[in-house]
Amino acid sequence: MPAIPTRETWLQRLQEETRGKTESDLTWQSPEGIPYHPLYSSSDLTQHNYQEELPGFPPYTRGVRASMYVGRPWTIRQYAGFSTAEASNRFYRSCLSAGQKGLSVAFDLPTHRGYDSDHPDVLADVGKAGVAIDSVEDMKCLFDSIPLDQVSVSMTMNGAVLPILASYIIAAEEAGVPRDKLTGTIQNDILKEYMVRNTYIYPPTPSMRIVADIIEFTSKEMPHFNSISISGYHMQEAGANAVLELAYTIADGLEYVRAALKRGLDVDTFASQLSFFFGIGMNFYMEIAKLRAARRLWHEVLQPFHPKDPKSSWMRTHCQTSGYTLTAQDPYNNIVRTTVEAMAAVLGGTQSLHTNSFDEALSLPTDLAARVARNTQLILEEETDLIHTVDPFGGSYFMESLTTDLCNRARTLLEEVESCGGMIEAIQKGIPKRRIEEAAAAKQARIDSREETIVGVNRYQNPEEPEIPVRTIDNAEVARSQCESLKVLKASRNPTAVAEALQALTQAARDPHANLLPATLAAMRARATVGEVSSALEAVFTRYEAPIVLASSTYMKNYAHPEKIEKICAAIAAFAKTEGRQPRILIVKLGQDGHDRGAKVIATGLADLGFDVDIGPLFQTPAQAVQQAIENDVHVIGISTQAAGHNLLVPQVLEALRNAHASDIRVVVGGVIPPQDYPALLKQGVAAIFGPGSDIPGCAEQILAALPRRSTP
């Protein structure tokens, strides 16, 4: 018999086949700093003290149920919402008839931020990035003819969570479905809003009270409804790597558990109603390991609370494929990216899944793109063998080692958070936000310097980009329709009853022992609006404004070939020499769009290249942005947009500059903008447009070329 090969003989063969390269030469460092060795063996499991586990048993690394998909496949739950409640309702019913198994509601930004559609500061955002909901009547329309006792509903809502959840409960009850029959999830995860997504309304302390109120109410009144979905997805979208997303999501969950326990609730009365939400990116093995590690860690951190019910320490997860990995260039490639990510989520053991549409780097998805995304899941379930065995990676030398490495690194970050006094204290110190923004800037630098390949973007570009049909929303018509509905509502309701209910809600907010959901239910049942309820709470809690922090030097430190950008750095230095100061740019977010990854990354990159960079506060109006630009004497305003409000907000900036006799200040725009909109924006006076995938040195070069020279050499 031939001799059994040893690791030494393998190393010798490896060097022969790779012209002398060693195992170290071929070891890849992941963005998390975890090495991927070219070979794993049983010795790696020994080093990690691996002990065989089974699905359905603690610590649930291999799945919270023994049967997993061989018993029941994951739930296909596509996240969607746009325009009016009527339009979204038609879309939902079509999706359910085509095989979708649950609904996941996307609300527009004014709704998230607690504004009614007729508020003057939000008109450009109404119905753009989700469905506009102002009242119970809108919610009833949203779910018209949908059996809420049979269809589970997930709602991504955090800031205006009280009036939205109350509207859903009332809409169901008025359709004949009692609250104890409702199934689904309300996101209700406010802590991640302060880190990354920014659709908060109130400061952290009263916001955490609201979270605890909802956990308390639903644990007693809605036993089949999940009181919170603790979200790492938005952290990943903002730039977090797998370790950051894993650790900070667990830390948020711990904070919510403690908040509920302070109410006197027993852990077994609410912990089984907590769920989690993770993003799934393109590092296939890492994403599988992340879900396995998350279940193990959650079981581990729950044990000090002494749960008696095994379900209390189950981590049940919803996953969504990455929006950040979608490219505007060669967008049909996104179908492949989404498929890879969906497979990782399934192999990692998710309970439900949303697959993004291939056109979402350009606009809200068209019906065709949404169908392809949904069918991606149906194909994985119906046409492959993925569901016929439980945790197929269990026992893999590589996967078990990677899972343990992730756990260990996440524990280190969890210990850092605990040393701060918990997640609220860590957030107030800016630690998670800074780490995530640094990770985002580092990733952009790797992409811009081609250390990371993005097919169709920085390599293998398509010389003939296909024209992709996009969904367009008539924002003016949606806003008009919503404003008219609000007028009808206010004319038909009892104004005294509404005023009394809102006053009672304000009084409840002043009472730290009152649960705010019953008072909100009373106000919404009297037909108060989302904006009115939010204002009644704001009168006590105030509206929160986040501090602005900019990471420095991260981009340049991670740019692999700095010699390739010497030309643009020299040009910036030459501008400063002839003009007497650095080129100065104000980066702004307009309207209610709080997604600021792009703004922060471009600000960091431009600052590292030599620009003098100012960042405006979130949620500015065009007039406020122009005023700040003039006061700061900037050369250019850079508008970052992701919520489709550019066609209204950018022209308002240009008009405000003309009215202030400041048209020498140039305007550039970047973000999710359909190419079809470029000509109109350029014609109105925009100097340059940068779509997703634009590299920062290239942006800097175009911005510099557009700047007026106020003096001569």
Side-chain angles (χ1 to χ4, degrees), residues 111-114 157-165 199 201-202 530 534:
T111 304
H112 274 289
R113 296 265 295 141
M157 177 54 63
N158 305 282
V161 63
L162 283 169
I164 288 299
L165 180 57
T199 53
I201 302 175
Y202 316 112
V530 169
S534 300

Side-chain angles (χ1 to χ4, degrees), residues 356-390:
N356 284 333
S357 301
F358 67 84
D359 56 356
E360 289 188 57
L362 300 170
S363 69
L364 289 171
T366 62
D367 289 350
L368 170 63
R371 180 175 177 80
V372 171
R374 182 178 60 252
N375 286 352
T376 298
Q377 295 196 52
L378 291 171
I379 290 166
L380 291 179
E381 179 185 326
E382 302 286 355
E383 298 188 25
T384 76
D385 56 0
L386 287 176
I387 67 170
H388 300 304
T389 191
V390 180

Side-chain angles (χ1 to χ4, degrees), residues 193-198 234-241 244 248 430-445 546-555 558 594-605 608 615 618:
E193 300 295 336
Y194 301 113
M195 283 189 275
V196 291
R197 192 163 174 259
N198 300 310
H234 301 95
M235 299 180 200
Q236 186 186 86
E237 290 294 280
N241 60 40
L244 293 170
Y248 292 151
I431 295 172
K433 190 175 187 68
R434 184 180 71 249
R435 290 192 185 279
I436 291 170
E437 289 176 358
E438 287 173 349
K443 183 173 182 65
Q444 188 63 46
I548 300 170
V549 180
L550 180 63
S552 61
S553 303
T554 304
Y555 180 85
N558 287 274
H595 296 87
D596 62 351
R597 173 180 182 156
K600 290 293 185 67
V601 167
I602 192 73
T604 297
D608 283 1
I615 302 181
L618 290 171

Side-chain angles (χ1 to χ4, degrees), residues 40-45 48 393-402:
Y40 288 79
S41 64
S42 59
S43 63
D44 293 284
L45 298 187
H48 285 99
F393 275 99
S396 157
Y397 301 143
F398 171 47
M399 185 54 65
E400 298 296 356
S401 298
L402 185 57

Side-chain angles (χ1 to χ4, degrees), residues 13 15 35 95 216 276 305 340 354 367 391 407 490 505 521 607 614 657:
R13 182 68 59 84
Q15 289 185 329
C95 291
E216 181 180 49
F276 290 79
F305 304 110
V340 169
H354 166 93
D367 289 350
D391 187 33
C407 283
K490 291 177 181 180
L505 178 59
L521 281 164
D614 297 328
L657 286 171

